[in-house]
Amino acid sequence: AFRRFDKDKSGFLDPEECRHMCTYLGWGSAEWDLMDANKDGKVSLEEYQVFVGKLGGVRQLFEQRRLRISTSRKDVCDYIGIAEGARVR
């Protein structure tokens, strides 16, 4: 996810890039504050890796995102969720 949102390929997520990533992952400003460990206003790949590691890794990160989406879209979806590994058309 980090490299996808590092649009300028600087090796850091500036506030705008991080906002886009946090929105995509269903996070808010609290997560941004936690990721920016040295409080320099940008998130390095290392800071991101440490943060994701504390969450339980990338797989856990996207599982949490999947659950947030499936529970937040009950108005659109009449099913409980999408099983991991399921094919979606």
Side-chain angles (χ1 to χ4, degrees), residues 9 17-19 29 36 38 46 53 58 66-67 72 78 81:
K9 307 294 185 225
E17 292 168 332
C18 201
R19 183 178 53 80
S29 60
D36 186 15
N38 63 4
E46 183 179 341
V58 172
R66 184 189 66 78
L67 290 172
S72 69
D78 60 354

Side-chain angles (χ1 to χ4, degrees), residues 15-34:
E16 184 177 342
E17 292 168 332
C18 201
R19 183 178 53 80
H20 287 293
M21 184 186 68
C22 288
T23 300
Y24 176 80
L25 295 172
W27 294 345
S29 60
E31 286 83 4
W32 159 258
D33 291 338
L34 292 172

Side-chain angles (χ1 to χ4, degrees), residues 3 11 16 43 45 66 77 84 86:
R3 287 186 181 95
E16 184 177 342
V43 175
L45 178 58
R66 184 189 66 78
C77 305
E84 183 176 324

Side-chain angles (χ1 to χ4, degrees), residues 53-64:
K54 289 179 182 178
L55 291 176
V58 172
R59 186 178 184 142
Q60 184 64 30
L61 171 92
F62 284 101
E63 176 65 14
Q64 289 174 1

